[in-house]
Amino acid sequence: MYCKNSDHLKEECGVFGIFGTEEASVLTTLGLHSLQHRGQEGAGIVSFDGNNFHSVRKQGLVGDNFNNTNILSQLPGKTAIGHVRYSTTGESKPENLQPLFANLALGGFACAHNGNLTNTHSVKKRLVESGSIFQTSSDTEIILQLVARSNKKKLIDKLIDTLNQIKGAYSLVILTNKKLIGVRDPFGIRPLVLGDKDGSPVLASETCALDMIGAKYVRDIENGEIVVITEQGIESIKPFKNISERPCIFERIYFASPDSIVGDKTVYTYRKSLGIELAKENNISADVVVPIPDSGVSAALGFSQKSSIPFELGIIRSHYVGRTFIEPSQSIRQFGVKLKHSVNRSCIENKRVILIDDSIVRGTTASKIVKMVYEAGAKEVHLGISCPPIKHPDFYGIDTPNYDELIASKSNIEEMTKLVGAKSLFFLSLNGTYKAMGCKERNKKSPQFTDHCFTGEYPIDISEILKINSTNDHR
Ligand code: AMP
């Protein structure tokens, strides 16, 4: 949940679960490792051994914390779920690491959540006023509290009762003593796929996690679907009114791993098409196309192929620094940009350079890199961005900052060009973005994606979050 001045955490996460196999926690570790790009601040696994639940949650990377047999021996059992996360506001508290676990009247209940709820404040207030005690500042805890308090008899009915009270974006992976459950919110904003590892069902945020463990992709969990996995098989429940899905377009533009398959294509293919569309819309004379790595590489390849301007690796990225946004404070973030990229002078000197990146958020990366490229002797630096200007914050589980920190929400293109210091700055149009996704055009009445970051059209009401944010701003 996005609360600028509170310790509410905004989460950007990956989830994984596997049912009925030896080494469930080892496979979960591997799955989480391949989802590490979805969150690098902390990771956790809960396993069930037939009698007891076991939980290990650690701050830091999966590979640093779950890489030894000691940890894995703490997570026995044939079923496990896991979570990777990071927060960008408030403190990174260990108690907010997931999966969250509670012993409910019906038995143990562990839940891993990707996405953000939008009515946390009002639900939490109601729960606290009626006696609930919260141990974390994570919005996910309200799910456990609501399940615990539901007066329905069966677990699935308690869960449906809960889903009817929460609003927002959620892909959930839940573990009980008999079931592994996957849930996707009514719009299907965040991803969730079903796979099969030698007969054991798998749930994961992205298909790259299935590839990692040698599991077959079965299908996407549909928007508004609950999938219940037991010894008896897999059951699908659709508790909501049927509505058209609106997955988050930014998953394909930036967030998901390039090798993950969404729809029938890899994310890489979509990103390359974004670059192709960008080149179609912008005819610029230059000597080289240079990606801002890693995020701009696929689009730059597409741009270079379409424009016939040679592709060069003019910026080198250090692989020993994490994603720029990963550090919660702005000072560390800026330092991170400098540490992360260096210029490969041989491709740049005396050249007219087109830099390509997937997006501009605060403008930190772009201005640093444009400056570095000029300092390395470029004659001209143009900057192409393979999506429209991000003018509106996300409240559904991807980290983008508040309006006042989003460069495109405060400045027009001319002002942004000055701010980043480039000779020209160009963005892909919204329709070009939809074309790259394989759509003829954006369906205005019923858009195929949620594209609120560009359009400000939020499919799920965010007024409660905006109200809380403005109250916090005036404190
Ligand atoms: P900024 O430097 O603030 O303009 O951020 C833009 C850079 O961050 C680009 O290179 C993007 O690839 C990357 N980026 C965009 N959105 C996100 C996000 N939600 N989390 C982390 N990085 C992002």
Side-chain angles (χ1 to χ4, degrees), residues 12 86 250 254 295 325 357-365 398-399:
E12 202 167 70
Y86 81 76
F250 211 62
Y254 168 78
S295 50
F325 267 45
D357 203 358
D358 68 303
S359 55
I360 290 192
V361 182
R362 294 176 173 87
T364 325
T365 311
I398 283 198
D399 163 47

Side-chain angles (χ1 to χ4, degrees), residues 385-410:
I385 302 295
S386 63
C387 75
I390 298 177
K391 294 188 174 172
H392 307 270
D394 182 82
F395 299 104
Y396 302 147
I398 283 198
D399 163 47
T400 47
N402 238 338
Y403 278 103
D404 20 306
E405 286 180 73
L406 284 174
I407 181 174
S409 110
K410 297 178 296 184

Side-chain angles (χ1 to χ4, degrees), residues 389 411-419 424-427:
S411 324
N412 60 30
I413 305 242
E414 205 180 309
E415 290 162 340
M416 278 194 271
T417 314
K418 276 210 185 111
L419 283 168
S424 76
L425 169 64
F426 51 99
F427 290 85

Side-chain angles (χ1 to χ4, degrees), residues 252-253 258 267-279 289-292 294-307 311 354-359 384-387 426 428 436:
R252 298 189 188 188
I253 293 169
V267 168
Y268 167 76
T269 314
Y270 294 116
R271 289 188 191 156
K272 216 168 141 191
S273 302
L274 289 165
I276 292 171
E277 294 301 325
L278 187 66
V289 171
V290 170
I292 298 186
D294 291 331
S295 50
V297 173
S298 326
L301 272 169
F303 191 97
S304 160
Q305 285 174 10
K306 188 69 200 165
S307 63
F311 175 93
I354 301 180
L355 289 173
I356 302 285
D357 203 358
D358 68 303
S359 55
I385 302 295
S386 63
C387 75
F426 51 99
L428 182 59

